[in-house]
Amino acid sequence: MGSAWRVFWQQFRENFHTTGAIAPSSRALARELCWALKDQRAVADSPPRRILEVGPGTGAVTRFILGHLRPGDRLDLVEINPQFVQFLQRALESDPRFRIPPEVEVQLHQGSVLRWEPQEPYEVLISGLPLNNFQPQEVQEFLDRFAWLTRAGGVVSFFQYIGVRRLRQWVASAATRSRLRGIGQVLHATLSQYEVRRRMVLGNLPPAWVHHLRFADPRPPSLPGKIERASHP
Ligand SMILES: C[S@@+](CC[C@H](N)C(=O)[O-])C[C@H]1O[C@@H](n2cnc3c(N)ncnc32)[C@H](O)[C@@H]1O
């Protein structure tokens, strides 16, 4: 198995559009992305949780998530890139840093989160998607999908690199500038309504903002049909 950095660098060069980063997330970034899991851990008799990680890549954040899971929890990993899926599958099978805690179910799925249709919604969704690489309407689709995938009161956590959009606006073509401006507007509209926590993580390459959202009901109107919520009172 190649090292995570080597695989990541290769995918950065071969699939920049979906990879969007030069290196896996740092421990500091992973720690902050897991904020909602730490929070709920304090409640001794809280029920098992369903957690979704979107775009786990080589598993830099996955390892931290695993460290926060309790018996009965379930973790789904949805990754679009088959090379990352292969790497992560092997890591989950044989790398001690990816030890799955007892009575925890972990499932790795290959495909786009836009097509992911689970049986039940999640309490926590953690995303590594490189939002700046997409069109504004795609970013809106991702955010809507995240809202649809989480139960009311659930937490969605994601990051964006600090200043990258502003920096690229200086050097990019008019079309790219307009795309980046559009992404900023889409993110601002959602964050101003649903953000519950924001932290700056300087210890990452590049430094990042981590955003935590809590979508309440009613959900955004553009969502696809509802997930059956029978087992989520
Ligand atoms: C910036 S990397 C983050 C990887 C990892 N979470 C980390 O923090 O090191 C973005 C990840 O999102 C994945 N990805 C991009 N578009 C996706 C989609 N539509 N559905 C699922 N995964 C996607 C990429 O393949 C890649 O693994």
Side-chain angles (χ1 to χ4, degrees):
M1 188 185 352
S3 86
W5 278 67
R6 191 156 55 80
V7 172
F8 211 97
W9 171 247
Q10 203 174 6
Q11 293 312 307
F12 169 75
R13 289 192 322 182
E14 289 174 16
N15 291 298
F16 173 72
H17 183 66
T18 53
T19 305
I22 203 166
S25 292
S26 69
R27 294 167 69 88
L29 182 52
R31 201 174 298 121
E32 178 56 32
L33 282 165
C34 290
W35 166 74
L37 294 173
K38 285 182 275 186
D39 204 30
Q40 297 183 9
R41 207 181 192 192
V43 186
D45 57 353
S46 60
R49 301 159 300 178
R50 291 175 59 87
I51 297 130
L52 173 64
E53 187 187 2
V54 178
T58 50
V61 180
T62 317
R63 277 160 45 192
F64 271 77
I65 297 175
L66 288 171
H68 288 295
L69 299 185
R70 304 183 302 233
D73 285 348
R74 179 196 167 96
L75 171 64
D76 284 323
L77 306 161
V78 176
E79 169 56 60
I80 202 168
N81 182 328
Q83 306 302 322
F84 283 142
V85 170
Q86 198 180 37
F87 181 93
L88 201 47
Q89 186 65 53
R90 290 207 195 123
L92 286 165
E93 282 162 11
S94 58
D95 186 335
R97 293 170 305 171
F98 286 79
R99 199 185 67 81
I100 299 173
E103 296 170 56
V104 165
E105 192 179 344
V106 178
Q107 294 277 344
L108 174 58
H109 313 268
Q110 199 238 307
S112 171
V113 68
L114 294 175
R115 300 233 164 77
W116 177 238
E117 295 191 354
Q119 302 276 311
E120 293 173 44
Y122 297 92
E123 275 70 44
V124 179
L125 184 157
I126 296 175
S127 166
L129 292 187
L131 294 180
N132 281 333
N133 278 15
F134 300 107
Q135 294 297 327
Q137 62 269 27
E138 291 177 299
V139 173
Q140 185 66 63
E141 258 185 87
F142 282 125
L143 293 172
D144 287 351
R145 192 80 189 173
F146 291 172
W148 181 71
L149 285 165
T150 44
R151 59 176 284 169
V155 174
V156 171
S157 303
F158 68 96
F159 62 88
Q160 50 172 335
Y161 298 124
I162 295 173
V164 165
R165 235 178 5 257
R166 196 161 295 172
L167 205 71
R168 280 173 67 184
Q169 285 194 31
W170 283 98
V171 291
S173 65
T176 303
R177 280 205 303 274
S178 144
R179 183 178 68 76
L180 293 172
R181 241 190 335 269
I183 293 172
Q185 285 161 0
V186 166
L187 286 174
H188 176 73
T190 297
L191 292 173
S192 60
Q193 240 186 311
Y194 300 109
E195 191 174 43
V196 290
R197 175 182 161 102
R198 175 189 298 198
R199 287 292 182 276
M200 182 188 274
V201 177
L202 293 175
N204 190 68
L205 185 69
W209 283 113
V210 179
H211 304 283
H212 303 279
L213 313 178
R214 209 187 287 276
F215 290 106
D217 274 337
R219 308 303 177 83
S222 48
L223 294 181
K226 277 203 177 294
I227 299 177
E228 183 53 59
R229 275 158 217 279
S231 55
H232 280 251

